[in-house]
Amino acid sequence: MRLEGSSEITLKQPRINFCIWLQCSSVCKQQIPWDTSPGGLACHPCQQVLFHMLQEPPGVSLACCWDSSRPLIMMAVSGEQALAGERMLRMPSCLLKLTRVVLSHKPCALFILIFVFVSFAYIKLYWGIEEDPKSHGPTYSLSAEIGCAHHVPSPLITAGGPSPSAGNVFFVETSEQTSPSYLFLCSVESAARSHPTSRVVVLMKGLAKGNASLPKHWAFSLLSCFPNVEIQPLDLTELFSGTPLAQWFLQPQRQQEPHFLHVLSDACRIVLMWKFGGIYLDTDFIVLKNLQNLTNALGIQDDSELNGAFLSFKAKHKFMELCMQDFVQNYNGWVWGHQGPGLLTRVFKKWCSLETIKSMSCKGVSALSREVVYPIPWQNWKKLFEAVTALELQELLKSTYAVHIWNKLSHETKLEIPSQALLAQLYSQFCPATYTKMKQDSEELSRRAV
């Protein structure tokens, strides 16, 4: 799993100055020779069509078409088109044949020419999009069965205002599950929308390494609408290599522990933060705002404990290194939360020499107040399914960057779509593509029930 940046290549467009004489009218019954001299505009008794391309200033060309020295058409063309014109001069025989066909007013030939051009442009664009940079590792290709036009803004990056700094946003699925839920999709979609210049990387253990195609599921089609979303297989051995957790993961008895999948997720997030840096989010978050300015930070979930459902750290940060060491040295996979919230709370208390947790910044690490990412305490998770007004929602979330949905507690509760429930309004506003799919599925179930 390589997560590196990509390079750019800049091509310079040369200045050129040339004229092209095309075929004369059928009345003249003769062919005007190609002329690339500066004086190529000399009068000719048979000048029916003259195509003149002049690039001035650099990067812009003017193309004019004359009929008996009278300008008929004027248009701007790019330097690449001008360069193409220069190449045309080097192969006049085939181009003249093509010109004769087009200018002979044969609609069928013109249609074929346009069809070939459009097909070539489509294939070129398709391969440009599907190309997989080696530096990104084995990213999976995404199908596009779901239309994107009504769901995703174009362009995705909102115009106006400064662009946030780019960085990775990570989601991890440590089970073999490859059929994402609505909430999973909403988490990724809301993160992709709020971080348009960042790579949103979804790591899934259930995806086989080296496979170039994803399972046929509408969720992956939906995610294909977002160009900054990448789906990659989760290679745990490679991820943990070079860290204190490498030997821990290789012990087979760990998989018999009751909370192993959650502990494995706890392990992945701290290693991702230490190795690559960026932002980690659980797949039961709905992101409201860009999180990039929350650096070297984690959130307080209640008066006594931190939570690792949201983490934002620079790569190789000492705090994350201490978390990896504590994970191994004080390991207990039989106690719920010991390797997650308990671990982060222990390390932060040592880091800041604290007895109790409070909102503060200490030695470059910030413990964010509860309303920033955990505005609904886990004890009050049912509030997510209660109706709220738009004003109440605005007041509740005015200082909030993301909302944790506490899926372990709430996943069996039915959400009415559409409704004024807090969670339904969050879906509607911050992951509209997922919400549209939920509505369609709900309506389909209602029709079947009749």
Side-chain angles (χ1 to χ4, degrees):
M1 179 175 56
R2 299 180 178 87
L3 299 167
E4 304 169 1
S6 59
S7 60
E8 295 182 358
I9 299 175
T10 303
L11 298 177
K12 297 183 178 179
Q13 299 176 349
R15 291 188 61 180
I16 56 177
N17 184 5
F18 61 90
C19 304
I20 302 175
W21 291 78
L22 300 178
Q23 186 180 8
C24 65
S25 68
S26 58
V27 177
C28 294
K29 301 298 182 182
Q30 68 180 47
Q31 180 178 310
I32 299 176
W34 294 74
D35 188 350
T36 60
S37 64
L41 289 176
C43 293
H44 193 283
C46 206
Q47 60 177 76
Q48 171 68 19
V49 180
L50 172 66
F51 190 66
H52 175 226
M53 300 182 70
L54 175 64
Q55 183 163 341
E56 184 67 38
V60 178
S61 296
L62 295 179
C64 305
C65 183
W66 273 265
D67 180 5
S68 299
S69 302
R70 177 167 56 90
L72 295 177
I73 302 173
M74 180 172 285
M75 61 183 176
V77 298
S78 69
E80 290 183 358
Q81 290 171 304
L83 184 59
E86 185 180 31
R87 291 189 181 125
M88 287 164 60
L89 299 176
R90 300 173 185 172
M91 45 182 179
S93 59
C94 60
L95 185 59
L96 279 174
K97 293 179 181 178
L98 183 61
T99 303
R100 293 191 189 101
V101 173
V102 174
L103 295 181
S104 63
H105 307 290
K106 294 182 178 179
C108 182
L110 185 59
F111 173 79
I112 294 174
L113 182 63
I114 294 173
F115 176 79
V116 170
F117 175 78
V118 172
S119 299
F120 175 79
Y122 174 81
I123 293 171
K124 188 70 175 176
L125 177 63
Y126 174 82
W127 283 110
I129 293 174
E130 292 296 320
E131 183 179 0
D132 177 27
K134 293 181 179 179
S135 60
H136 286 187
T139 304
Y140 277 60
S141 61
L142 297 174
S143 58
E145 298 172 359
I146 292 182
C148 303
H150 301 295
H151 304 317
V152 181
S154 180
L156 187 60
I157 302 176
T158 305
S163 298
S165 58
N168 296 322
V169 179
F170 291 101
F171 291 92
V172 174
E173 176 57 68
T174 54
S175 73
E176 300 294 332
Q177 178 65 255
T178 56
S179 301
S181 65
Y182 293 125
L183 182 54
F184 185 114
L185 266 293
C186 184
S187 298
V188 179
E189 179 187 348
S190 62
R193 289 179 179 276
S194 56
H195 301 82
T197 62
S198 300
R199 293 170 59 207
V200 179
V201 183
V202 182
L203 301 170
M204 303 184 73
K205 184 174 179 289
L207 299 179
K209 292 184 292 182
N211 193 355
S213 61
L214 287 165
K216 292 183 180 295
H217 192 277
W218 65 264
F220 298 112
S221 296
L222 186 149
L223 290 181
S224 70
C225 296
F226 299 91
N228 57 334
V229 173
E230 297 180 10
I231 312 293
Q232 296 188 20
L234 176 59
D235 188 334
L236 293 167
T237 302
E238 181 183 350
L239 177 63
F240 295 141
S241 65
T243 74
L245 281 72
Q247 292 300 317
W248 163 83
F249 176 67
L250 295 177
Q251 299 176 21
Q253 68 271 23
R254 300 302 183 198
Q255 301 189 23
Q256 306 303 319
E257 296 169 352
H259 312 301
F260 177 72
L261 287 180
H262 297 91
V263 171
L264 189 58
S265 177
D266 293 330
C268 288
R269 68 192 70 185
I270 60 177
V271 172
L272 284 168
M273 290 297 95
W274 184 78
K275 276 194 168 184
F276 306 109
I279 294 169
Y280 167 84
L281 290 168
D282 272 0
T283 55
D284 58 348
F285 253 113
I286 298 180
V287 184
L288 317 184
K289 303 173 186 176
N290 191 282
L291 299 163
Q292 294 287 356
N293 62 330
L294 304 178
T295 307
N296 299 330
L298 64 171
I300 297 176
Q301 73 171 10
D302 54 37
D303 295 336
S304 61
E305 204 166 38
L306 297 169
N307 193 305
F310 158 78
L311 295 173
S312 177
F313 280 87
K314 293 181 179 179
K316 305 300 189 293
H317 197 281
K318 182 65 176 177
F319 184 84
M320 284 292 106
E321 182 180 348
L322 293 176
C323 287
M324 290 191 298
Q325 293 174 3
D326 186 279
F327 188 97
V328 176
Q329 294 171 1
N330 298 309
Y331 183 80
N332 187 342
W334 294 87
V335 177
W336 171 260
H338 182 82
Q339 299 299 115
L343 180 150
L344 294 169
T345 303
R346 292 193 302 272
V347 175
F348 188 78
K349 285 182 176 180
K350 293 178 182 178
W351 181 266
C352 298
S353 301
L354 296 174
E355 292 294 331
T356 58
I357 293 295
K358 59 182 178 180
S359 176
M360 62 181 298
S361 181
C362 173
K363 298 180 183 179
V365 178
S366 298
L368 305 174
S369 58
R370 183 177 55 79
E371 61 267 16
V372 177
V373 287
Y374 303 109
I376 309 296
W378 66 267
Q379 298 90 337
N380 298 336
W381 65 267
K382 291 183 179 180
K383 184 178 180 64
L384 291 163
F385 298 87
E386 297 175 2
V388 296
T389 66
L391 184 61
E392 289 173 330
L393 179 64
Q394 182 179 2
E395 181 66 21
L396 174 68
L397 304 178
K398 65 181 180 180
S399 300
T400 299
Y401 282 72
V403 180
H404 195 215
I405 308 304
W406 308 107
N407 186 56
K408 182 176 175 59
L409 300 172
S410 64
H411 70 278
E412 293 183 353
T413 304
K414 183 180 180 181
L415 176 65
E416 295 293 336
I417 297 292
S419 72
Q420 292 301 307
L422 172 58
L423 182 54
Q425 294 193 55
L426 292 177
Y427 272 106
S428 175
Q429 292 186 36
F430 301 103
C431 51
T434 303
Y435 181 74
T436 298
K437 176 62 176 172
M438 294 173 71
K439 284 180 61 178
Q440 292 172 349
D441 292 348
S442 178
E443 293 168 358
E444 180 63 24
L445 287 174
S446 299
R447 285 193 294 268
R448 292 179 180 179
V450 174

